[in-house]
Amino acid sequence: MLFELGTVDAIVLGVVLLIAVAIGVLSGRKNRDAETFLVGGRDLPWWAILGSIVATETSTATVLSLPGDSYAGNGFRWLHLTFGLVLGRILVVRFLLPLYFKRRLLTAYEVLDERLGKAVKTAASMMFMVTRNLSDGLRLYLAAVVVQTLLGWSLTSSVIVMGLVTIVYTAIGGLRSVVWNDCVQFVIYMIGGVAAVMILAQAIPGGLSAIYQFADQTGRLTMFDLRFDLSEPLNFWGGLLGGAVLTIGTHGTDQIMVQRYLSARSQKEAGRAIIGSAFVVMIQFALFLWIGVSLACFFANTNSVAPEKPDQVFAYFIVHHFPVNYGLIGLMLAAILAAAMSTLSSSLSASSSALLNDLYVPFVKRRRGTEPNGRSLLRTSQAMTILFGIIQMGIAIWASQLDQTVVTSALTIAGFAAGLLLGVFLLGLFCPKISQRSVFLGLAIAVIVLVLVSFQIKNEAGKAIIAWTHLATVGAFTTVVVARISEAVSPSRNT
Protein backbone atom coordinates (compact mmCIF):
# COMPACT_ATOMS: atom_id res chain seq x y z
CA MET A 1 0.00 0.00 0.00
CA LEU A 2 3.12 2.20 -0.17
CA PHE A 3 2.35 5.70 -1.42
CA GLU A 4 4.60 8.60 -2.36
CA LEU A 5 3.22 11.95 -1.21
CA GLY A 6 2.75 14.71 -3.75
CA THR A 7 4.21 18.13 -2.98
CA VAL A 8 0.91 19.70 -1.87
CA ASP A 9 0.02 16.71 0.31
CA ALA A 10 3.47 16.75 1.92
CA ILE A 11 3.11 20.48 2.63
CA VAL A 12 -0.31 19.95 4.26
CA LEU A 13 1.08 17.17 6.44
CA GLY A 14 4.10 19.27 7.41
CA VAL A 15 2.01 22.34 8.19
CA VAL A 16 -0.24 20.32 10.53
CA LEU A 17 2.81 19.11 12.48
CA LEU A 18 4.24 22.64 12.66
CA ILE A 19 0.90 24.03 13.89
CA ALA A 20 0.97 21.52 16.75
CA VAL A 21 4.43 22.72 17.83
CA ALA A 22 3.44 26.39 17.43
CA ILE A 23 0.40 25.92 19.69
CA GLY A 24 2.69 24.36 22.28
CA VAL A 25 5.13 27.28 22.16
CA LEU A 26 2.37 29.90 22.41
CA SER A 27 0.63 28.04 25.25
CA GLY A 28 3.90 27.69 27.12
CA ARG A 29 4.12 31.46 27.61
CA LYS A 30 1.25 31.27 30.12
CA ASN A 31 2.80 28.55 32.28
CA ARG A 32 3.93 30.21 35.52
CA ASP A 33 3.85 27.17 37.80
CA ALA A 34 2.87 23.50 37.91
CA GLU A 35 -0.83 24.28 38.33
CA THR A 36 -1.05 26.34 35.14
CA PHE A 37 1.01 23.67 33.36
CA LEU A 38 -1.07 20.71 34.55
CA VAL A 39 -4.62 22.11 34.64
CA GLY A 40 -4.35 25.10 32.30
CA GLY A 41 -4.96 27.69 35.01
CA ARG A 42 -8.48 26.28 35.50
CA ASP A 43 -9.93 28.72 32.96
CA LEU A 44 -10.39 26.71 29.76
CA PRO A 45 -13.80 27.03 28.03
CA TRP A 46 -16.16 24.08 28.19
CA TRP A 47 -16.37 23.64 24.42
CA ALA A 48 -12.57 23.29 24.16
CA ILE A 49 -12.62 20.68 26.92
CA LEU A 50 -15.41 18.88 25.05
CA GLY A 51 -13.31 18.77 21.90
CA SER A 52 -10.32 17.56 23.87
CA ILE A 53 -12.31 14.77 25.54
CA VAL A 54 -13.52 13.50 22.16
CA ALA A 55 -10.10 13.75 20.50
CA THR A 56 -8.42 11.98 23.42
CA GLU A 57 -10.72 8.97 23.22
CA THR A 58 -10.34 8.85 19.42
CA SER A 59 -7.35 6.79 18.38
CA THR A 60 -6.04 5.73 14.99
CA ALA A 61 -8.13 2.59 15.51
CA THR A 62 -11.29 4.71 15.60
CA VAL A 63 -10.45 6.41 12.32
CA LEU A 64 -9.48 3.19 10.49
CA SER A 65 -11.06 0.26 12.33
CA LEU A 66 -14.59 1.64 12.72
CA PRO A 67 -14.98 1.95 8.92
CA GLY A 68 -13.38 -1.48 8.62
CA ASP A 69 -15.88 -3.06 11.00
CA SER A 70 -18.82 -1.47 9.21
CA TYR A 71 -17.34 -2.48 5.85
CA ALA A 72 -17.12 -6.09 7.05
CA GLY A 73 -20.86 -6.24 7.68
CA ASN A 74 -21.47 -5.07 11.24
CA GLY A 75 -23.09 -1.90 9.96
CA PHE A 76 -24.10 0.53 12.68
CA ARG A 77 -24.06 -1.82 15.68
CA TRP A 78 -21.27 0.22 17.25
CA LEU A 79 -23.89 2.89 17.94
CA HIS A 80 -25.20 0.64 20.74
CA LEU A 81 -22.07 1.62 22.64
CA THR A 82 -22.84 5.32 22.33
CA PHE A 83 -26.08 4.82 24.29
CA GLY A 84 -23.93 3.59 27.17
CA LEU A 85 -21.58 6.53 26.72
CA VAL A 86 -24.45 8.96 27.30
CA LEU A 87 -25.79 7.11 30.35
CA GLY A 88 -22.34 6.62 31.87
CA ARG A 89 -21.36 10.27 31.52
CA ILE A 90 -24.59 11.44 33.11
CA LEU A 91 -23.75 9.26 36.12
CA VAL A 92 -20.19 10.61 36.21
CA VAL A 93 -21.51 14.18 36.35
CA ARG A 94 -24.04 13.24 39.04
CA PHE A 95 -21.86 11.23 41.44
CA LEU A 96 -18.13 11.65 40.75
CA LEU A 97 -17.66 15.13 39.35
CA PRO A 98 -18.72 16.87 42.63
CA LEU A 99 -15.88 15.06 44.44
CA TYR A 100 -13.30 16.71 42.20
CA PHE A 101 -14.59 20.23 42.75
CA LYS A 102 -14.80 20.19 46.54
CA ARG A 103 -11.28 21.57 46.68
CA ARG A 104 -8.49 22.50 44.26
CA LEU A 105 -7.33 19.02 43.27
CA LEU A 106 -4.72 18.24 40.63
CA THR A 107 -5.40 14.50 40.25
CA ALA A 108 -8.38 12.18 40.58
CA TYR A 109 -6.59 10.02 43.12
CA GLU A 110 -6.30 12.73 45.76
CA VAL A 111 -9.95 11.94 46.53
CA LEU A 112 -8.91 8.43 47.57
CA ASP A 113 -6.32 9.77 50.02
CA GLU A 114 -8.93 11.34 52.28
CA ARG A 115 -11.44 8.50 51.91
CA LEU A 116 -9.39 5.30 51.82
CA GLY A 117 -5.87 6.29 52.85
CA LYS A 118 -2.53 7.14 51.28
CA ALA A 119 -1.60 3.57 50.34
CA VAL A 120 -4.76 3.14 48.24
CA LYS A 121 -4.23 6.54 46.62
CA THR A 122 -0.64 5.68 45.73
CA ALA A 123 -1.59 2.23 44.40
CA ALA A 124 -4.42 3.64 42.28
CA SER A 125 -2.17 6.34 40.84
CA MET A 126 0.57 3.83 40.04
CA MET A 127 -1.97 1.47 38.44
CA PHE A 128 -3.08 4.33 36.22
CA MET A 129 0.47 5.27 35.22
CA VAL A 130 1.60 1.71 34.46
CA THR A 131 -1.47 0.64 32.48
CA ARG A 132 -1.84 4.00 30.70
CA ASN A 133 1.77 4.13 29.52
CA LEU A 134 1.78 0.48 28.51
CA SER A 135 -1.45 0.74 26.53
CA ASP A 136 -0.65 4.08 24.91
CA GLY A 137 2.85 2.94 24.04
CA LEU A 138 1.29 -0.03 22.25
CA ARG A 139 -1.24 2.27 20.54
CA LEU A 140 1.67 4.41 19.34
CA TYR A 141 3.18 1.26 17.86
CA LEU A 142 -0.07 0.40 16.05
CA ALA A 143 -0.30 3.94 14.67
CA ALA A 144 3.33 3.74 13.54
CA VAL A 145 2.56 0.51 11.68
CA VAL A 146 -0.11 2.39 9.70
CA VAL A 147 2.30 5.25 8.88
CA GLN A 148 4.98 2.74 7.91
CA THR A 149 2.54 0.95 5.59
CA LEU A 150 1.29 4.12 3.95
CA LEU A 151 4.47 6.17 3.61
CA GLY A 152 7.23 3.58 3.69
CA TRP A 153 8.96 5.15 6.69
CA SER A 154 10.67 2.70 9.00
CA LEU A 155 8.67 1.85 12.10
CA THR A 156 11.29 3.49 14.31
CA SER A 157 11.17 6.69 12.23
CA SER A 158 7.37 6.72 12.40
CA VAL A 159 7.46 6.37 16.19
CA ILE A 160 10.12 9.07 16.56
CA VAL A 161 8.30 11.62 14.37
CA MET A 162 4.97 11.22 16.17
CA GLY A 163 6.61 10.90 19.57
CA LEU A 164 8.96 13.87 19.33
CA VAL A 165 6.37 16.30 17.93
CA THR A 166 3.97 15.31 20.70
CA ILE A 167 6.61 15.53 23.44
CA VAL A 168 7.68 19.01 22.28
CA TYR A 169 4.23 20.60 22.28
CA THR A 170 3.17 18.84 25.49
CA ALA A 171 6.34 19.53 27.47
CA ILE A 172 6.41 23.21 26.45
CA GLY A 173 2.72 24.08 26.55
CA GLY A 174 1.29 21.70 29.15
CA LEU A 175 -2.40 20.89 29.33
CA ARG A 176 -3.41 24.15 27.65
CA SER A 177 -1.40 23.10 24.59
CA VAL A 178 -2.82 19.59 24.75
CA VAL A 179 -6.41 20.82 24.83
CA TRP A 180 -6.04 23.33 22.00
CA ASN A 181 -4.09 20.84 19.88
CA ASP A 182 -6.80 18.26 20.56
CA CYS A 183 -9.40 20.71 19.24
CA VAL A 184 -7.39 21.32 16.05
CA GLN A 185 -6.82 17.59 15.62
CA PHE A 186 -10.52 16.90 16.16
CA VAL A 187 -11.42 19.37 13.40
CA ILE A 188 -8.79 17.83 11.07
CA TYR A 189 -10.00 14.26 11.29
CA MET A 190 -13.66 15.27 11.14
CA ILE A 191 -12.99 17.32 7.98
CA GLY A 192 -11.13 14.31 6.63
CA GLY A 193 -14.11 12.08 7.41
CA VAL A 194 -16.58 14.42 5.70
CA ALA A 195 -14.24 14.66 2.70
CA ALA A 196 -14.15 10.86 2.49
CA VAL A 197 -17.97 10.70 2.51
CA MET A 198 -18.17 13.22 -0.34
CA ILE A 199 -15.47 11.53 -2.43
CA LEU A 200 -17.11 8.12 -2.01
CA ALA A 201 -20.52 9.51 -2.91
CA GLN A 202 -19.08 10.99 -6.12
CA ALA A 203 -17.21 7.77 -6.98
CA ILE A 204 -20.34 5.57 -6.74
CA PRO A 205 -22.99 5.80 -9.47
CA GLY A 206 -26.17 7.06 -7.83
CA GLY A 207 -24.31 8.74 -4.96
CA LEU A 208 -25.75 8.76 -1.45
CA SER A 209 -29.08 7.19 -2.45
CA ALA A 210 -27.25 4.24 -4.04
CA ILE A 211 -25.17 3.78 -0.90
CA TYR A 212 -28.27 3.86 1.29
CA GLN A 213 -30.01 1.30 -0.93
CA PHE A 214 -26.93 -0.96 -0.85
CA ALA A 215 -26.74 -0.69 2.95
CA ASP A 216 -30.42 -1.60 3.27
CA GLN A 217 -30.15 -4.59 0.92
CA THR A 218 -27.03 -5.98 2.65
CA GLY A 219 -28.38 -5.56 6.19
CA ARG A 220 -25.84 -2.90 7.13
CA LEU A 221 -28.56 -0.51 8.32
CA THR A 222 -29.65 -2.98 10.97
CA MET A 223 -28.60 -1.67 14.35
CA PHE A 224 -30.69 -2.98 17.21
CA ASP A 225 -29.76 -6.44 18.46
CA LEU A 226 -31.76 -7.13 21.62
CA ARG A 227 -30.33 -10.60 22.32
CA PHE A 228 -28.81 -10.85 25.80
CA ASP A 229 -25.43 -12.50 25.28
CA LEU A 230 -22.53 -11.56 27.57
CA SER A 231 -19.99 -12.83 25.02
CA GLU A 232 -21.27 -10.37 22.39
CA PRO A 233 -19.90 -6.83 22.88
CA LEU A 234 -22.02 -4.93 20.38
CA ASN A 235 -25.59 -5.97 21.10
CA PHE A 236 -27.94 -3.48 22.74
CA TRP A 237 -27.27 -4.64 26.31
CA GLY A 238 -23.51 -4.83 25.87
CA GLY A 239 -23.54 -1.30 24.52
CA LEU A 240 -25.98 0.25 26.99
CA LEU A 241 -25.10 -1.47 30.27
CA GLY A 242 -21.52 -2.55 29.62
CA GLY A 243 -20.75 0.70 27.84
CA ALA A 244 -22.20 2.76 30.70
CA VAL A 245 -20.08 1.06 33.37
CA LEU A 246 -17.00 1.19 31.13
CA THR A 247 -17.56 4.91 30.60
CA ILE A 248 -17.91 5.58 34.32
CA GLY A 249 -14.53 3.89 34.75
CA THR A 250 -12.74 5.60 31.86
CA HIS A 251 -14.33 9.04 32.24
CA GLY A 252 -14.98 9.10 35.96
CA THR A 253 -11.80 7.69 37.52
CA ASP A 254 -9.09 7.97 34.87
CA GLN A 255 -6.71 10.91 35.35
CA ILE A 256 -6.47 11.40 31.59
CA MET A 257 -10.09 12.63 31.63
CA VAL A 258 -10.35 14.04 35.15
CA GLN A 259 -7.42 16.35 34.40
CA ARG A 260 -9.56 18.02 31.74
CA TYR A 261 -12.49 18.50 34.11
CA LEU A 262 -10.17 20.20 36.61
CA SER A 263 -9.14 22.70 33.93
CA ALA A 264 -12.74 23.93 33.53
CA ARG A 265 -13.92 27.27 34.91
CA SER A 266 -16.56 25.58 37.06
CA GLN A 267 -18.16 22.24 37.87
CA LYS A 268 -21.15 23.22 35.74
CA GLU A 269 -18.98 23.86 32.68
CA ALA A 270 -17.09 20.60 33.21
CA GLY A 271 -20.40 18.72 33.35
CA ARG A 272 -21.56 20.40 30.16
CA ALA A 273 -18.37 19.26 28.39
CA ILE A 274 -18.68 15.68 29.68
CA ILE A 275 -22.29 15.12 28.63
CA GLY A 276 -21.94 17.06 25.37
CA SER A 277 -18.94 14.95 24.38
CA ALA A 278 -21.08 11.79 24.40
CA PHE A 279 -23.36 13.17 21.69
CA VAL A 280 -20.40 14.37 19.62
CA VAL A 281 -18.90 10.87 19.84
CA MET A 282 -22.25 9.47 18.66
CA ILE A 283 -22.11 11.72 15.58
CA GLN A 284 -18.46 10.82 15.03
CA PHE A 285 -19.18 7.08 15.21
CA ALA A 286 -22.06 7.45 12.75
CA LEU A 287 -19.77 9.33 10.33
CA PHE A 288 -17.01 6.73 10.29
CA LEU A 289 -19.46 3.82 10.22
CA TRP A 290 -21.14 5.41 7.19
CA ILE A 291 -17.70 5.60 5.55
CA GLY A 292 -17.38 1.85 6.06
CA VAL A 293 -20.76 1.18 4.45
CA SER A 294 -19.81 3.47 1.57
CA LEU A 295 -16.53 1.59 1.10
CA ALA A 296 -18.41 -1.70 0.92
CA CYS A 297 -20.70 -0.24 -1.72
CA PHE A 298 -17.75 1.19 -3.66
CA PHE A 299 -15.81 -2.07 -3.86
CA ALA A 300 -18.98 -4.05 -4.65
CA ASN A 301 -19.71 -1.82 -7.64
CA THR A 302 -16.24 -1.22 -9.12
CA ASN A 303 -13.36 -3.29 -10.41
CA SER A 304 -11.12 -2.21 -7.55
CA VAL A 305 -9.90 -5.01 -5.30
CA ALA A 306 -9.97 -4.29 -1.58
CA PRO A 307 -7.35 -5.53 0.92
CA GLU A 308 -8.20 -8.74 2.76
CA LYS A 309 -8.11 -7.12 6.20
CA PRO A 310 -11.13 -4.84 6.75
CA ASP A 311 -9.21 -2.35 8.91
CA GLN A 312 -6.88 -1.67 5.96
CA VAL A 313 -9.65 -0.84 3.50
CA PHE A 314 -10.10 2.84 4.40
CA ALA A 315 -6.35 3.53 4.29
CA TYR A 316 -6.17 1.74 0.92
CA PHE A 317 -8.97 3.92 -0.44
CA ILE A 318 -7.27 7.07 0.79
CA VAL A 319 -3.97 6.43 -1.00
CA HIS A 320 -5.44 4.91 -4.17
CA HIS A 321 -8.68 6.81 -4.76
CA PHE A 322 -8.35 10.23 -3.14
CA PRO A 323 -7.43 13.05 -5.56
CA VAL A 324 -3.64 13.20 -5.78
CA ASN A 325 -1.73 16.35 -4.83
CA TYR A 326 -4.80 18.38 -3.87
CA GLY A 327 -3.94 18.27 -0.18
CA LEU A 328 -6.70 15.82 0.73
CA ILE A 329 -4.38 12.83 1.09
CA GLY A 330 -2.06 14.93 3.23
CA LEU A 331 -5.06 15.99 5.30
CA MET A 332 -6.19 12.40 5.85
CA LEU A 333 -2.68 11.27 6.78
CA ALA A 334 -2.57 14.24 9.15
CA ALA A 335 -5.89 13.04 10.58
CA ILE A 336 -4.40 9.60 11.25
CA LEU A 337 -1.37 11.18 12.93
CA ALA A 338 -3.62 13.61 14.83
CA ALA A 339 -5.69 10.77 16.30
CA ALA A 340 -2.52 9.09 17.56
CA MET A 341 -0.88 12.27 18.88
CA SER A 342 -3.97 13.50 20.72
CA THR A 343 -4.11 10.28 22.74
CA LEU A 344 -0.35 10.33 23.33
CA SER A 345 -0.21 13.97 24.47
CA SER A 346 -3.09 13.47 26.89
CA SER A 347 -1.37 10.42 28.31
CA LEU A 348 1.91 12.26 28.85
CA SER A 349 0.26 15.23 30.56
CA ALA A 350 -1.93 13.06 32.81
CA SER A 351 0.94 10.74 33.75
CA SER A 352 3.24 13.62 34.71
CA SER A 353 0.41 15.12 36.79
CA ALA A 354 -0.15 11.84 38.65
CA LEU A 355 3.56 11.20 39.25
CA LEU A 356 4.19 14.76 40.44
CA ASN A 357 1.21 15.19 42.78
CA ASP A 358 0.59 11.66 44.01
CA LEU A 359 4.18 10.45 44.46
CA TYR A 360 6.85 13.15 44.05
CA VAL A 361 5.40 16.02 46.11
CA PRO A 362 4.41 13.80 49.09
CA PHE A 363 7.90 12.23 49.02
CA VAL A 364 9.66 15.60 48.99
CA LYS A 365 7.44 16.96 51.78
CA ARG A 366 8.26 13.94 53.96
CA ARG A 367 11.95 14.23 53.15
CA ARG A 368 12.41 18.00 53.46
CA GLY A 369 9.41 19.04 55.50
CA THR A 370 8.40 21.66 52.94
CA GLU A 371 6.77 21.58 49.51
CA PRO A 372 8.88 22.56 46.46
CA ASN A 373 8.16 26.02 45.02
CA GLY A 374 5.94 26.51 41.98
CA ARG A 375 8.74 27.18 39.48
CA SER A 376 10.64 24.09 40.59
CA LEU A 377 7.51 21.94 40.27
CA LEU A 378 6.92 23.34 36.77
CA ARG A 379 10.38 22.25 35.61
CA THR A 380 9.96 18.87 37.30
CA SER A 381 6.58 18.24 35.64
CA GLN A 382 8.04 19.18 32.24
CA ALA A 383 10.90 16.74 32.79
CA MET A 384 8.41 14.04 33.77
CA THR A 385 6.43 14.69 30.58
CA ILE A 386 9.58 14.12 28.52
CA LEU A 387 10.39 10.99 30.54
CA PHE A 388 6.97 9.44 29.92
CA GLY A 389 7.26 10.31 26.23
CA ILE A 390 10.57 8.46 25.99
CA ILE A 391 9.07 5.49 27.85
CA GLN A 392 6.10 5.26 25.48
CA MET A 393 8.34 5.58 22.43
CA GLY A 394 10.49 2.79 23.85
CA ILE A 395 7.43 0.59 24.40
CA ALA A 396 6.29 1.25 20.82
CA ILE A 397 9.67 0.27 19.34
CA TRP A 398 9.90 -2.77 21.66
CA ALA A 399 6.40 -3.89 20.60
CA SER A 400 7.62 -4.30 17.01
CA GLN A 401 9.52 -7.37 18.20
CA LEU A 402 6.42 -8.99 19.69
CA ASP A 403 3.82 -11.25 18.16
CA GLN A 404 0.55 -9.43 17.39
CA THR A 405 -1.37 -11.65 19.82
CA VAL A 406 0.95 -10.55 22.62
CA VAL A 407 0.25 -6.90 21.81
CA THR A 408 -3.50 -7.55 21.80
CA SER A 409 -3.33 -9.43 25.12
CA ALA A 410 -1.27 -6.64 26.70
CA LEU A 411 -3.85 -4.06 25.61
CA THR A 412 -6.61 -6.22 27.10
CA ILE A 413 -4.82 -6.47 30.44
CA ALA A 414 -4.12 -2.73 30.48
CA GLY A 415 -7.84 -2.21 29.87
CA PHE A 416 -8.62 -3.95 33.17
CA ALA A 417 -7.73 -0.72 34.97
CA ALA A 418 -11.06 0.98 34.17
CA GLY A 419 -13.07 -1.54 36.16
CA LEU A 420 -10.52 -1.92 38.94
CA LEU A 421 -10.24 1.82 39.53
CA LEU A 422 -14.01 2.20 39.36
CA GLY A 423 -14.34 -0.46 42.07
CA VAL A 424 -11.90 1.44 44.29
CA PHE A 425 -13.72 4.74 43.75
CA LEU A 426 -17.08 3.10 44.54
CA LEU A 427 -15.63 1.84 47.82
CA GLY A 428 -14.32 5.32 48.56
CA LEU A 429 -17.67 6.89 47.70
CA PHE A 430 -19.99 4.53 49.57
CA CYS A 431 -17.70 2.73 52.08
CA PRO A 432 -15.10 5.33 53.19
CA LYS A 433 -14.41 3.50 56.46
CA ILE A 434 -13.33 0.26 54.80
CA SER A 435 -9.78 -0.93 55.51
CA GLN A 436 -7.01 -0.64 52.95
CA ARG A 437 -6.29 -4.35 53.40
CA SER A 438 -9.81 -5.21 52.20
CA VAL A 439 -9.47 -2.87 49.21
CA PHE A 440 -6.22 -4.50 48.12
CA LEU A 441 -7.68 -7.98 48.54
CA GLY A 442 -10.64 -6.98 46.38
CA LEU A 443 -8.30 -5.69 43.68
CA ALA A 444 -6.16 -8.84 43.72
CA ILE A 445 -9.14 -11.18 43.38
CA ALA A 446 -10.64 -8.96 40.67
CA VAL A 447 -7.45 -9.18 38.58
CA ILE A 448 -7.54 -12.98 38.81
CA VAL A 449 -11.20 -13.09 37.79
CA LEU A 450 -10.59 -10.73 34.84
CA VAL A 451 -7.69 -12.84 33.57
CA LEU A 452 -9.81 -15.99 33.79
CA VAL A 453 -12.85 -14.61 31.96
CA SER A 454 -10.69 -12.86 29.34
CA PHE A 455 -8.22 -15.60 28.45
CA GLN A 456 -9.08 -18.93 30.05
CA ILE A 457 -12.83 -19.57 30.16
CA LYS A 458 -14.33 -19.89 26.67
CA ASN A 459 -17.83 -20.61 25.38
CA GLU A 460 -18.74 -23.26 22.81
CA ALA A 461 -17.76 -20.94 19.96
CA GLY A 462 -14.28 -20.53 21.43
CA LYS A 463 -14.85 -16.90 22.42
CA ALA A 464 -14.32 -15.41 25.87
CA ILE A 465 -17.50 -15.84 27.90
CA ILE A 466 -17.43 -12.16 28.84
CA ALA A 467 -17.10 -9.56 26.06
CA TRP A 468 -14.75 -6.60 26.51
CA THR A 469 -17.65 -4.21 27.06
CA HIS A 470 -18.55 -6.07 30.27
CA LEU A 471 -15.02 -6.37 31.73
CA ALA A 472 -15.28 -3.06 33.59
CA THR A 473 -18.47 -4.30 35.24
CA VAL A 474 -16.80 -7.58 36.25
CA GLY A 475 -13.74 -5.77 37.61
CA ALA A 476 -15.66 -3.17 39.59
CA PHE A 477 -18.23 -5.65 40.94
CA THR A 478 -15.59 -8.16 42.05
CA THR A 479 -13.46 -5.49 43.73
CA VAL A 480 -16.40 -4.11 45.71
CA VAL A 481 -17.95 -7.47 46.69
CA VAL A 482 -14.70 -9.11 47.77
CA ALA A 483 -13.65 -6.02 49.73
CA ARG A 484 -17.01 -5.86 51.50
CA ILE A 485 -16.93 -9.59 52.34
CA SER A 486 -13.37 -9.27 53.65
CA GLU A 487 -14.38 -6.36 55.84
CA ALA A 488 -17.41 -8.21 57.16
CA VAL A 489 -15.36 -11.29 58.04
CA SER A 490 -12.40 -9.44 59.53
CA PRO A 491 -13.10 -5.74 60.12
CA SER A 492 -10.23 -3.40 60.86
CA ARG A 493 -9.67 0.33 60.99
CA ASN A 494 -8.43 2.08 57.87
CA THR A 495 -4.89 3.31 58.35
Side-chain angles (χ1 to χ4, degrees):
M1 202 187 297
L2 185 63
F3 179 79
E4 186 172 343
L5 277 179
T7 303
V8 176
D9 292 313
I11 290 173
V12 169
L13 183 58
V15 167
V16 169
L17 296 177
L18 288 174
I19 288 174
V21 175
I23 291 174
V25 172
L26 292 173
S27 299
R29 296 177 180 178
K30 297 186 177 182
N31 291 329
R32 302 177 303 276
D33 51 32
E35 184 170 356
T36 54
F37 181 79
L38 295 174
V39 290
R42 304 183 194 270
D43 68 345
L44 296 178
W46 70 269
W47 54 267
I49 296 171
L50 184 156
S52 182
I53 291 171
V54 175
T56 297
E57 58 187 320
T58 302
S59 65
T60 304
T62 308
V63 176
L64 297 179
S65 296
L66 270 183
D69 206 55
S70 180
Y71 165 87
N74 282 322
F76 288 86
R77 296 178 69 211
W78 272 93
L79 290 180
H80 286 137
L81 187 64
T82 64
F83 303 151
L85 301 187
V86 174
L87 176 59
R89 290 176 212 219
I90 291 173
L91 294 174
V92 167
V93 171
R94 173 64 179 85
F95 293 104
L96 290 173
L97 190 61
L99 297 177
Y100 303 132
F101 279 85
K102 282 186 175 180
R103 55 190 181 91
R104 294 175 69 87
L105 302 180
L106 289 173
T107 75
Y109 312 112
E110 291 177 78
V111 169
L112 299 176
D113 190 349
E114 58 190 43
R115 288 177 172 265
L116 296 175
K118 294 185 184 300
V120 172
K121 180 203 76 170
T122 301
S125 186
M126 291 182 66
M127 184 193 305
F128 160 75
M129 286 186 282
V130 171
T131 56
R132 173 55 63 181
N133 282 274
L134 173 61
S135 60
D136 287 339
L138 294 175
R139 291 187 183 99
L140 177 59
Y141 156 71
L142 295 175
V145 169
V146 174
V147 175
Q148 179 187 33
T149 303
L150 293 177
L151 297 180
W153 299 353
S154 70
L155 187 133
T156 300
S157 298
S158 303
V159 169
I160 289 174
V161 169
M162 288 187 289
L164 284 182
V165 171
T166 308
I167 289 172
V168 167
Y169 78 71
T170 307
I172 295 175
L175 184 68
R176 189 183 299 275
S177 170
V178 171
V179 168
W180 289 118
N181 263 301
D182 282 349
C183 290
V184 172
Q185 290 158 356
F186 168 73
V187 171
I188 288 172
Y189 69 70
M190 289 298 285
I191 290 175
V194 172
V197 169
M198 295 173 65
I199 291 170
L200 279 161
Q202 292 176 354
I204 297 170
L208 292 174
S209 61
I211 297 171
Y212 182 87
Q213 186 177 8
F214 170 84
D216 187 35
Q217 292 173 349
T218 57
R220 285 179 168 85
L221 289 181
T222 302
M223 186 179 73
F224 288 103
D225 179 0
L226 298 178
R227 292 174 300 165
F228 189 81
D229 182 356
L230 292 177
S231 66
E232 172 53 55
L234 296 179
N235 59 27
F236 177 78
W237 305 108
L240 178 64
L241 302 180
V245 177
L246 177 62
T247 298
I248 298 171
T250 57
H251 289 65
T253 69
D254 194 314
Q255 172 65 7
I256 204 169
M257 290 297 173
V258 174
Q259 186 183 24
R260 277 149 182 72
Y261 313 157
L262 297 176
S263 71
R265 293 164 178 164
S266 66
Q267 179 181 330
K268 182 179 179 180
E269 289 209 1
R272 187 183 301 168
I274 295 169
I275 295 176
S277 67
F279 294 98
V280 174
V281 170
M282 188 180 292
I283 295 170
Q284 177 179 281
F285 270 37
L287 172 65
F288 285 100
L289 292 171
W290 178 262
I291 289 173
V293 171
S294 301
L295 287 167
C297 181
F298 173 81
F299 286 105
N301 290 278
T302 64
N303 295 323
S304 298
V305 179
E308 291 185 8
K309 295 183 178 180
D311 59 0
Q312 295 180 354
V313 173
F314 188 27
Y316 177 89
F317 181 83
I318 291 170
V319 299
H320 289 284
H321 297 282
F322 263 48
V324 178
N325 218 24
Y326 280 83
L328 287 175
I329 293 177
L331 183 69
M332 283 307 304
L333 292 177
I336 292 170
L337 292 179
M341 292 192 302
S342 64
T343 301
L344 178 61
S345 63
S346 300
S347 177
L348 302 185
S349 182
S351 296
S352 65
S353 177
L355 179 58
L356 183 82
N357 292 287
D358 295 332
L359 277 75
Y360 176 77
V361 170
F363 173 77
V364 172
K365 288 176 70 174
R366 286 196 304 270
R367 188 88 177 265
R368 302 177 183 173
T370 59
E371 186 173 320
N373 63 54
R375 199 70 184 173
S376 171
L377 289 177
L378 171 61
R379 297 305 178 207
T380 302
S381 57
Q382 289 175 317
M384 289 175 175
T385 299
I386 296 171
L387 172 64
F388 281 117
I390 294 171
I391 289 172
Q392 292 196 23
M393 289 168 63
I395 291 172
I397 294 171
W398 166 71
S400 65
Q401 304 173 25
L402 302 176
D403 185 86
Q404 191 65 34
T405 55
V406 176
V407 174
T408 303
S409 297
L411 280 169
T412 301
I413 293 171
F416 291 170
L420 298 174
L421 287 173
L422 176 57
V424 173
F425 270 81
L426 290 174
L427 289 169
L429 188 61
F430 298 109
C431 312
K433 301 297 184 181
I434 197 168
S435 69
Q436 295 182 122
R437 181 206 62 209
S438 296
V439 175
F440 287 128
L441 179 62
L443 284 171
I445 299 300
V447 170
I448 295 172
V449 171
L450 285 169
V451 170
L452 289 175
V453 299
S454 298
F455 301 109
Q456 297 297 320
I457 306 174
K458 308 289 184 180
N459 60 17
E460 294 178 354
K463 298 193 301 182
I465 60 169
I466 302 293
W468 61 267
T469 46
H470 295 294
L471 291 180
T473 304
V474 172
F477 179 80
T478 305
T479 300
V480 171
V481 170
V482 172
R484 292 296 303 272
I485 292 175
S486 170
E487 195 70 6
V489 171
S490 180
S492 63
R493 294 184 63 187
N494 195 9
T495 57

